[in-house]
Amino acid sequence: MIISMRPHATKEEIDHVRERIAEFGYKVHSIEGAERVVIGVVGVGDVTACLESLEATPGVESAMRISAPYKFVSREFKKEHSAIKLNGIEVGGDQFIVMAGPCSVENEKQIMDTAEGVAAAGAKVLRGGAFKPRTSPYDFQGMEGAGLKLLRKAKEATGLAIVTEIMSDRDVDLVAEYADCMQVGARNMQNFALLKSLGGCGRPVMLKRGMSSTIKELLMSAEYIVAHGNPNVILCERGIRTFETATRNTCDIAAIPVLAELTHLPVILDPSHATGKRSLVPAVSRAGVAIGADGRIVEVHPYPEKAVSDGAQSLTLAGFREMMAELKPYMRLWESTRAAAVAQTVA
Ligand code: PEP
Ligand code: MN
């Protein structure tokens, strides 16, 4: 159940609602909004009686049942699509947002050249991992703090927002100092200690789907972040493991409209990890625009043959420019479709 308090409900009213919920045997989670409190209620009990009682309790505006196991992120909870603000732009708004950059931050020249190139071609967010989750402990693990500093330098030079990976709850404060958006990688999608700590990080989170995770599991992980106090979550489809070996992962393109039915959170596509192959990135990117993703995150490297990670799937700067130009007419169509959808919701 979700209980929305009236704007400016008093502390006494809120405490009274909490007591009533406990009397019915339920547990309380609460999100303090700017001007209204929304209380999430979980547990097992007499839902109908509890709802009826709460609806008649002073200070309560509405009480509703949410049947999905994920509550705050569900469409049942919020019908309108959420737009997540980062550094002056919105993911999930009326603009299709392109995030681009190398898999790993490697050195100053690499990140500055990439940032300038992708910004000139229309990207709004610079990606780049300073903490890298690698399958082998002998592979490059990331520049860590020094990489974060280079990302800041690139942001200062170009104005691009920064999305970078957070791997451990121990590093949340450090990464949040530099990142406009905290990326949770596929391998950490169910790192529950990390998800909980991101609830209080004060930055939007981009949550990537685990390579063997269902859509429901992805939404449950998003729910962890929101239930712990951070409503600003962007979901990312990055391909899943199947029997197919022609691509690095199998791009579950249908996950995007499935998610649009189930959640109000914005969803972006990662065509780079979804395919593992540079030549496939433009076509899959086009599919992402057509199917209604809110944006994409693409790996780009000024000299992919020298990349320390994911060179085979990284576009060159020229390749990225060409793809952005090729997708222009599709983007215009996306914008008019989005504007019509927003107008319909408002009407
Ligand atoms: C990445 O974005 O470089 C990355 C490691 O992605 P994923 O977590 O989707 O594998
Ligand atoms: Mn990568």
Side-chain angles (χ1 to χ4, degrees):
M1 283 172 283
I2 301 280
I3 317 301
S4 299
M5 301 300 295
R6 293 215 163 89
H8 315 297
T10 64
K11 186 175 175 310
E12 288 70 33
E13 287 171 333
I14 295 165
D15 287 345
H16 180 54
V17 168
R18 284 177 184 271
E19 280 161 25
R20 293 295 293 139
I21 290 166
E23 279 163 24
F24 276 96
Y26 287 99
K27 264 182 73 186
V28 167
H29 265 291
S30 103
I31 296 188
E32 311 282 334
E35 57 179 58
R36 81 169 66 218
V37 170
V38 178
I39 303 174
V41 181
V42 289
V44 183
D46 186 342
V47 185
T48 313
C50 186
L51 283 175
E52 275 174 13
S53 163
L54 288 172
E55 262 168 355
T57 305
V60 171
E61 185 164 272
S62 68
M64 61 174 162
R65 177 184 198 155
I66 307 251
S67 53
Y70 36 85
K71 309 292 176 195
F72 295 117
V73 306
S74 71
R75 270 280 180 216
E76 289 172 79
F77 174 56
K78 183 169 175 249
K79 284 192 184 46
E80 312 78 45
H81 203 58
S82 287
I84 312 290
K85 287 191 174 59
L86 47 111
N87 195 44
I89 56 161
E90 275 189 346
V91 180
D94 54 10
Q95 243 201 319
F96 185 95
I97 298 298
V98 178
M99 310 181 181
C103 180
S104 305
V105 180
E106 297 172 14
N107 57 62
E108 182 164 346
K109 180 162 168 49
Q110 173 238 22
I111 200 69
M112 297 305 277
D113 286 355
T114 310
E116 274 152 22
V118 300
K124 294 282 183 271
V125 183
L126 177 67
R127 63 147 291 149
F131 291 88
K132 291 305 302 177
R134 304 306 301 280
T135 302
S136 166
Y138 307 116
D139 285 343
F140 177 66
Q141 303 287 308
M143 290 181 74
E144 304 191 342
L148 295 174
K149 290 202 171 86
L150 291 182
L151 286 169
R152 172 166 292 166
K153 205 163 176 197
K155 176 179 177 175
E156 282 165 4
T158 58
L160 291 171
I162 300 296
V163 59
T164 193
E165 183 154 353
I166 173 76
M167 282 174 48
S168 161
D169 52 332
R170 290 189 307 269
D171 298 321
V172 167
D173 290 344
L174 172 68
V175 176
E177 223 183 292
Y178 293 88
D180 297 292
C181 183
M182 313 279 273
Q183 171 176 334
V184 176
R187 290 155 191 81
N188 270 315
M189 190 202 85
Q190 288 189 315
N191 178 342
F192 299 115
L194 176 61
L195 300 178
K196 287 180 195 173
S197 65
L198 290 169
C201 74
R203 296 270 184 247
V205 176
M206 184 188 77
L207 179 64
K208 299 187 88 173
R209 180 179 180 183
M211 56 190 89
S212 304
S213 299
T214 63
I215 288 171
K216 182 175 162 189
E217 286 164 342
L218 171 63
L219 290 169
M220 293 305 286
S221 289
E223 184 79 8
Y224 259 92
I225 302 167
V226 180
H228 282 83
N230 185 352
N232 299 313
V233 179
I234 300 160
L235 302 174
C236 178
E237 168 58 43
R238 46 78 74 207
I240 50 174
R241 277 212 169 141
T242 68
F243 53 81
E244 183 55 73
T245 53
T247 47
R248 181 178 178 186
N249 291 288
T250 294
C251 181
D252 183 8
I253 196 80
I256 292 163
V258 170
L259 284 164
E261 284 185 4
L262 299 177
T263 180
H264 55 87
L265 297 178
V267 184
I268 65 169
L269 177 67
D270 175 347
S272 308
H273 293 86
T275 61
K277 226 169 152 181
R278 181 180 312 125
S279 64
L280 301 175
V281 169
V284 174
S285 294
R286 200 183 321 129
V289 178
I291 209 159
D294 294 289
R296 70 173 159 273
I297 180 161
V298 192
E299 286 188 340
V300 179
H301 198 289
Y303 17 87
E305 70 288 355
K306 290 196 190 151
V308 298
S309 58
D310 288 349
Q313 67 194 32
S314 299
L315 295 173
T316 59
L317 286 168
F320 180 71
R321 254 195 324 270
E322 272 164 38
M323 178 177 81
M324 293 294 277
E326 190 230 315
L327 293 183
K328 268 227 169 90
Y330 298 89
M331 307 288 287
R332 276 199 284 273
L333 196 54
W334 184 97
E335 277 160 17
S336 52
T337 310
R338 176 59 60 100
V342 171
Q344 206 174 22
T345 323
V346 172

